Amino acid sequence: MLSDILKKRGPIKKVGVLGMGYVGIPAAALFADSPQFDKVYGFQRDSPSSGYKIAMLNRGESPLKGEEPGLEELLTKVVAAGKFSCTSDFSKIRELDAVTLSIQTPFLNKEDLLPDFSALFEGIRNVGRNLSPGMLVVLESTITPGTTTGVARGILEQESGLVAGRDFALAHAPERVMVGRLLRNIREHDRIVGGIDETSTRRATELYTPVLTTGKVIPMTATAAEVTKTAENTFRDLQIAAINELALYCEAMGINVYDVRTGIDSLKGEGTTRAMLWPGAGVGGHCLPKDTYHLERGVQQLGKDLLDYPAGEPSLYVLARRINDFMPTHMFRLTKEALERAGRPLKGAKVAVLGWAFLANSDDTRNTPAEPFRDLLIGEGAVVSVHDPYVAGYPGVPIVPSVEEAVRGADAVVIFAGHHQYRTLVPQELKRLSCKKHPVIVDGRNMVDPDAYIRLGFIYKGIGRGDKNGHVIVEG
Ligand code: SAJ
């Protein structure tokens, strides 16, 4: 029995973390900092793109970009104490009591929305080859529901000749960290821990409890844990789509969606509140655009024959994805309409895009919605300049360092990311720089006061601003 083997092995003392990225590094540092554990190995493939991290981490330096409060100090501390070291020698897994895998599963390509599990599966094979009875294996990556009890279990058993749930424990404990607050999130967020059986859930709970401060373990099955992680992002995407659709309706009905949002949001009290998020130019990032499709694939694989659903109706969640992915197209149409009002055809028009990052005040450009917008403009022969104060560069897209340079001679200025500096743009300045009688301003993130621009002769369009989008053009 697995519980007997675990009892014989005793408490977890040696831990391994595969994947030295923004999830694995803080996880390994926190395991190493816990007095509960004697030794933690960070496993990193010595690949051309990431091998450099091994030496850095063994010097106690963090290879992660951007501010991560407390991480570098923690790494220095646990390396100096000899409690953490990084290696590409996967055979060291044999010495361990528990290993976690935090290896990312990016898209193979956006068309068929199939995740690229190759790196994760290679990690699982490395664990399988070095698996011994009584070990615990935990998957932390976001995965399609059914992966832990399905293909992951299969690879581990095939490589080791052992049987999950009899010889070793297996669980899924999805990461819920956000860049900029990695350590805090791991310590303070409740931790979903889902084993393939009760014994595995208990063993994984033993691994995570020591690193939690205010967070609690929420035990469940492995598949429920996979659905929890994908659904928590699916629901966020759904809430954004709901307010994006309302914004489109308000534009069509000539009203201000932000008035409606304020009105609805005023409904307070137990159970009556509404999760009113914010309409915008689109939804990007590495979580929301993909996790809905993980959930969809999961129910197709696990529940296809049993799913009872309105015949012929699309998944609400996939429809939400389509609405969010429509927003850059809507931004394009707003821009095109405004330029037509200014008597400027798109072909040859200069459009300045302010904000390339997918998130306000961030340098993260993964799946940025600004990209399909720029592609549509270029497809119609417009000339596009891009400014972003946080983004140093992007393949094939020159990023200009100043707003002035981006806006100089522009027929249209389009705000795509809600970077705080775009709240203080000076309309008079933009008009001067544009050298146009009726420059266009399109606001994708509710950053500017429409009247401050309209009174100077701008042609204004804003997401959800049905009250302003058809305004009279002021002869400047
Ligand atoms: N967005 C809107 N309207 C909103 C909120 C977001 O249009 O009201 C857009 C953003 O502009 C961005 C995209 O959605 O393009 C995603 O924004 P996000 O705030 O969800 O940021 P992410 O993608 O970093 O989401 C992560 C997720 N965290 C994890 O997966 C661990 C998500 O579950 C968190 O809710 C989110 O961070 C967070 O709250 O910061």
Side-chain angles (χ1 to χ4, degrees):
M1 281 279 284
L2 180 57
S3 46
D4 303 332
I5 300 173
L6 292 173
K7 207 174 288 142
K8 207 162 84 215
R9 182 180 273 256
I12 296 171
K13 286 292 171 204
K14 290 187 162 188
V15 182
V17 175
L18 275 78
M20 291 288 99
Y22 78 91
V23 178
I25 291 173
L30 287 171
F31 285 137
D33 193 38
S34 161
Q36 195 80 23
F37 307 122
D38 296 342
K39 175 72 181 169
V40 177
Y41 283 115
F43 292 91
Q44 175 56 52
R45 285 181 309 181
D46 195 0
S47 63
S49 59
S50 310
Y52 72 92
K53 295 180 187 175
I54 299 171
M56 269 187 91
L57 285 162
N58 285 329
R59 290 195 302 269
E61 292 166 28
S62 164
L64 299 180
K65 295 184 308 174
E67 266 305 297
E68 285 302 340
L71 183 59
E72 190 115 288
E73 296 84 328
L74 189 59
L75 280 169
T76 306
K77 176 186 168 193
V78 294
V79 166
K83 290 202 66 183
F84 171 74
S85 60
C86 186
T87 175
S88 60
D89 175 4
F90 288 89
S91 69
K92 290 191 183 311
I93 291 173
R94 290 177 186 290
E95 307 165 22
L96 306 177
D97 303 312
V99 280
T100 67
L101 292 96
S102 308
I103 297 169
Q104 64 165 333
T105 57
F107 273 133
L108 268 179
N109 53 52
K110 291 196 190 128
E111 284 60 52
D112 56 14
L113 298 168
L114 276 180
D116 176 3
F117 280 124
S118 57
L120 177 62
F121 288 172
E122 186 199 338
I124 298 174
R125 264 192 296 281
N126 278 324
V127 172
R129 288 187 199 116
N130 297 289
L131 201 56
S132 54
M135 269 178 67
L136 163 68
V137 181
V138 185
L139 301 179
E140 292 199 357
S141 314
T142 303
I143 45 185
T144 303
T147 301
T148 305
T149 56
V151 62
R153 173 184 191 146
I155 295 172
L156 288 167
E157 294 184 339
Q158 199 181 5
E159 293 289 342
S160 66
L162 300 175
V163 175
R166 191 194 69 190
D167 304 317
F168 63 94
L170 176 58
H172 176 53
E175 54 89 6
R176 298 169 119 180
V177 295
M178 278 149 255
V179 167
R181 38 198 201 267
L182 300 175
L183 289 178
R184 185 152 61 84
N185 285 168
I186 294 176
R187 287 174 169 140
E188 297 177 4
H189 278 174
D190 288 346
R191 193 73 196 237
I192 311 293
V193 174
I196 60 165
D197 53 32
E198 288 284 313
T199 308
S200 298
T201 302
R202 268 197 304 280
R203 191 66 167 175
T205 301
E206 185 190 324
L207 174 65
Y208 286 103
T209 303
V211 301
L212 298 178
T213 53
T214 55
K216 301 275 172 296
V217 165
I218 301 178
M220 57 182 75
T221 67
T223 304
E226 292 163 334
V227 173
T228 301
K229 171 62 189 178
T230 49
E232 77 188 8
N233 284 339
T234 298
F235 271 61
R236 183 168 174 81
D237 195 55
L238 180 61
Q239 288 166 335
I240 297 167
I243 188 86
N244 276 338
E245 180 161 344
L246 188 61
L248 298 173
Y249 284 13
C250 288
E251 286 182 40
M253 294 187 279
I255 56 175
N256 180 349
V257 72
Y258 296 95
D259 292 341
V260 175
R261 183 188 183 284
T262 304
I264 295 172
D265 208 40
S266 69
L267 200 59
K268 294 294 177 226
E270 60 296 333
T272 57
T273 50
R274 301 287 184 276
M276 300 300 283
L277 291 178
W278 299 94
V283 171
H286 54 292
C287 304
L288 272 57
K290 75 173 171 39
D291 289 0
T292 295
Y293 295 110
H294 274 306
L295 179 60
E296 290 299 312
R297 217 183 347 274
V299 76
Q300 280 157 19
Q301 287 168 359
L302 294 177
K304 190 174 52 217
D305 309 333
L306 299 172
L307 177 62
D308 189 16
Y309 193 79
E313 294 301 339
S315 151
L316 171 66
Y317 305 141
V318 171
L319 182 55
R321 283 276 62 243
R322 299 265 197 299
I323 289 165
N324 287 338
D325 281 353
F326 172 73
M327 296 315 283
T329 303
H330 181 58
M331 287 289 287
F332 168 75
R333 290 178 183 166
L334 289 175
T335 306
K336 189 172 180 188
E337 262 168 51
L339 282 169
E340 279 159 5
R341 288 196 80 191
R344 281 291 283 136
L346 255 180
K347 192 166 177 48
K350 180 181 174 186
V351 180
V353 175
L354 303 188
W356 191 254
F358 86 86
L359 199 59
N361 308 318
S362 155
D363 67 353
D364 199 333
T365 57
R366 275 171 286 195
N367 297 313
T368 177
E371 186 157 23
F373 173 73
R374 176 177 177 271
D375 292 347
L376 285 167
L377 287 172
I378 289 177
E380 297 274 324
V383 173
V384 183
S385 63
V386 176
H387 170 263
D388 193 302
Y390 301 92
V391 177
Y394 189 86
V397 179
I399 309 276
V400 298
S402 72
V403 172
E404 290 68 23
E405 193 182 325
V407 172
R408 189 163 290 112
D411 297 284
V413 178
V414 182
I415 299 175
F416 233 87
H419 295 327
H420 59 75
Q421 81 173 70
Y422 298 152
R423 282 195 194 288
T424 52
L425 294 170
V426 179
Q428 291 79 355
E429 262 299 284
L430 294 190
K431 176 143 193 209
R432 182 182 62 75
L433 285 160
S434 77
C435 304
K436 298 293 179 305
K437 196 163 178 300
H438 297 299
V440 165
I441 175 93
V442 182
D443 187 355
R445 299 286 177 188
N446 192 34
M447 301 297 283
V448 303
D449 165 17
D451 293 327
Y453 287 80
I454 292 168
R455 74 166 75 95
L456 292 177
F458 277 80
I459 295 172
Y460 168 92
K461 295 279 186 186
I463 293 276
R465 295 306 301 266
D467 58 323
K468 293 291 177 186
N469 284 352
H471 69 84
V472 170
I473 298 175
V474 170
E475 288 312 321

